[in-house]
Amino acid sequence: MREFAEKEIRPHVREWDESQHFPRELLPRLAELGLMGVTFPAAYGGAALGLTDYVVIMEELARVDASVALIVSAHHSLCASHINLAGSQEQKRRYLAPLARGEKLGCWSLTEPGSGSDAASARTAARLEDDSWVLNGTKSFVTNGHYADICVVLAVTNPAARTHGISAFIVEAGTPGFRAGKKEDKLGLRSSDTAEIIFEDCRIPRANCLGKPDSGFLDSLRVLDRGRIGIAALAVGIAQAALEDSVHYAQERKQFGKPIGSFQAIQWKLADMATEIDAARLLTRRAAALADRGNRVTCESSMAKLYAGEVAVKAASDAVQIHGGYGFLKDYPVEKYYRDVKLCTIGEGTSEVQRMVIARELLGRL
Ligand SMILES: Cc1cc2nc3c(=O)[nH]c(=O)nc-3n(C[C@H](O)[C@H](O)[C@H](O)COP(=O)(O)OP(=O)(O)OC[C@H]3O[C@@H](n4cnc5c(N)ncnc54)[C@H](O)[C@@H]3O)c2cc1C
C-alpha cells in the first residue's frame, strides 16, 4: 500500500488538491489492487479480508492523500457495506459484486440540508406506487455524488415512526428523477467530490428497497459502527504524515545556530504527537479486531473515531506550528493536512455525536 501510494498518488496530490480534480483515472488501479472491495466475500468480488486489513489500507492512503482515502471510504465502508449488511442475494449479485470489483463507484446518502446529527429527522420521502418506490427530496454532503453509479439512499417511509420509519434504497445513476446538484467547494479534501443529490419523482423498482422496509435507519447505524473505524484510520494516516514531516523538518531547520529539534519545546510536541497517534492507532485497531471477531463495536468505534479525529486535528495544527511561517505556505504539505483533517471530527458523526454515543453505551437511554 505504501509503495503504491508513494509512487502513483504522491506525485499528483498537490495538483489534484489545487484544481479540485476528482482522480477518476486512479479508480481502475484501486480496483486492480482489490481496494474497492477489501472486506467483502470473494463470492461477490471482494478480497475477503478483515477490517484489520482495511484500516491499514485507509491509514496508508490517508498518509499520502486523504481525499483518495475518503473516496474509497464512502464507496466501501458506506455504500457497498450497507448492501453487504442488508442486501438480498440478488441485490448483492447485481450491485455489491460490481462495486467490490471496482467496476462501479458507490455513494451513500443519509444527510440532508436540515438533518445532519439528527439524521432521523430526514424529510426525503419514498412512497409505494404500484410496483415502484417513488422518491422525492434533497440530500446533501454526498461523497462521490457526481461520479457514483450506485447510490444507497435513506428515505422516510413511515413519518410517525421516526427511527423505525426510514428505509434504504438502491438507486442507479441515470434513473429519471435522480440527479446530482451543486458540487461543494470545500476547505479540504478538495479532490474528493461532495454533492447535493436531488430526487424528483424518482421511480425505482420495488425490489430496490435495501433490507426490510422501515429498518433502513437502524441498519445505517450498524453501517456507521464499522464506517467510523475507517474514518478513525483515515485520521491516523493524516496525523502520521504530519508527524513524519515534522520530525524531518525539526532535524533540517536551523535557528539560533541549531536544528529546531534540539529545543525542548519542539521535542515535547513531537513526543506528545507520536504517543497520541499511537494510542489512536491502537484504539482503531482494537475496534477493527473486535468487529472482525463478530462483536458489536458501537462504543469502541465511536471511541476510536472521537479520539483519532481529535488527536489528528491537534497533530496537524502542531505540525504547522513546528514548520513556522513555512507551514502556512503551499510549499509544504502540512497546510493541506491542516485543512483535510478537520473532516475527521465532523464526517460520520461529529465529535459531539461520538460522545453522545459513548455516553449512551455507558448510561443507557435516560
Ligand atoms: C466532506 C464531507 C463529506 C461527507 N460525506 C457524507 C456522505 O457521503 N454521506 C452522508 O450522508 N453525509 C456525509 N457528510 C455529512 C456529515 O455526516 C454531516 O456533516 C455530519 O453528520 C454533521 O451534520 P451537520 O453538518 O448537519 O451538522 P449539525 O448536525 O447541524 O451540527 C452542528 C453542530 O452542532 C453540534 N450538535 C448537533 N446536535 C448536537 C447535540 N445533540 N448535542 C451537542 N452538539 C450537537 C454538532 O456536533 C456540530 O458541532 C459529509 C460531510 C462532509 C463535511
Side-chain angles (χ1 to χ4, degrees):
M1 273 314 303
R2 183 164 293 184
E3 242 177 67
F4 164 73
E6 290 291 349
K7 211 166 122 208
E8 299 187 40
I9 301 176
R10 172 92 64 203
H12 310 288
V13 173
R14 187 166 165 197
E15 180 209 322
W16 289 349
D17 178 61
E18 283 180 2
S19 60
Q20 299 192 60
H21 170 73
F22 181 84
R24 208 175 196 161
E25 63 277 24
L26 193 66
L27 300 184
R29 282 293 289 141
L30 298 175
E32 223 173 282
L33 293 168
L35 304 184
M36 303 305 260
V38 179
T39 63
F40 307 122
Y44 294 113
L49 295 171
L51 267 185
T52 31
D53 306 292
Y54 178 74
V55 293
V56 175
I57 291 167
M58 267 294 123
E59 183 181 333
E60 291 299 327
L61 284 178
R63 181 179 160 274
V64 173
D65 190 358
S67 284
V68 174
L70 189 68
I71 293 166
V72 174
S73 169
H75 165 94
H76 182 289
S77 295
L78 297 177
C79 176
S81 270
H82 198 144
I83 299 174
N84 187 47
L85 178 97
S88 64
Q89 275 191 7
E90 174 54 19
Q91 286 169 337
K92 289 185 189 177
R93 193 192 59 71
R94 189 153 176 200
Y95 298 111
L96 176 61
L99 287 167
R101 288 195 295 262
E103 294 158 7
K104 300 221 160 146
L105 183 68
C107 69
W108 190 79
S109 180
L110 171 67
T111 306
E112 298 187 3
S115 73
S117 302
D118 182 15
S121 65
R123 296 177 63 177
T124 295
R127 63 174 197 276
L128 202 51
E129 244 184 50
D130 306 323
D131 224 20
S132 305
W133 290 98
V134 182
L135 275 64
N136 277 290
T138 299
K139 293 283 178 181
S140 54
F141 286 107
V142 185
T143 301
N144 299 338
H146 287 100
Y147 299 91
D149 307 288
I150 295 169
C151 176
V152 169
V153 58
L154 281 297
V156 178
T157 36
N158 182 358
R162 287 247 326 157
T163 52
H164 292 82
I166 295 176
S167 308
F169 300 94
I170 303 171
V171 184
E172 293 182 45
T175 306
F178 170 93
R179 70 184 162 92
K182 183 173 160 236
K183 178 182 171 72
E184 303 297 351
D185 190 4
K186 305 195 294 294
L187 168 75
L189 299 169
R190 288 174 67 78
S191 60
S192 75
D193 175 61
T194 310
E196 194 179 50
I197 298 268
I198 297 145
F199 297 90
E200 286 163 325
D201 286 330
C202 175
R203 192 173 281 271
I204 57 168
R206 186 175 191 154
N208 280 27
C209 182
L210 177 58
K212 291 197 193 97
D214 293 343
S215 69
F217 186 80
L218 302 179
D219 285 343
S220 73
L221 297 182
R222 290 161 66 207
V223 171
L224 287 169
D225 278 352
R226 293 170 66 89
R228 285 171 180 157
I229 302 172
I231 298 294
L234 190 153
V236 171
I238 301 175
Q240 178 65 30
L243 172 66
E244 288 173 25
D245 287 16
S246 299
V247 167
H248 182 71
Y249 194 76
Q251 289 165 328
E252 186 182 77
R253 173 73 174 169
K254 288 201 173 96
Q255 286 295 283
F256 301 95
K258 292 176 184 169
I260 59 167
S262 66
F263 305 133
Q264 197 176 48
I266 303 289
Q267 291 174 359
W268 284 26
K269 266 196 183 50
L270 294 173
D272 285 351
M273 275 163 90
T275 307
E276 288 164 4
I277 293 167
D278 232 12
R281 181 179 288 116
L282 291 171
L283 274 180
T284 304
R285 293 191 180 178
R286 176 185 70 159
L290 286 170
D292 280 344
R293 276 187 242 141
N295 292 284
R296 183 173 173 275
V297 288
T298 305
C299 190
E300 290 80 1
S301 71
S302 279
M303 285 176 169
K305 158 84 165 62
L306 169 63
Y307 189 74
E310 297 287 332
V311 157
V313 165
K314 180 165 170 280
S317 170
D318 284 345
V320 171
Q321 193 66 23
I322 289 169
H323 281 69
Y326 294 96
F328 209 67
L329 305 183
K330 298 266 180 195
D331 299 359
Y332 288 86
V334 288
E335 65 83 31
K336 179 173 180 292
Y337 308 149
Y338 188 71
R339 290 183 288 108
D340 287 350
V341 77
K342 195 57 197 153
L343 179 270
C344 301
T345 64
I346 296 172
E348 295 198 31
T350 62
S351 287
E352 291 76 12
V353 165
Q354 305 312 322
R355 289 186 174 96
M356 280 162 55
V357 172
I358 297 163
R360 199 180 293 146
E361 289 294 307
L362 295 173
L363 298 165
R365 277 179 196 276
L366 297 174

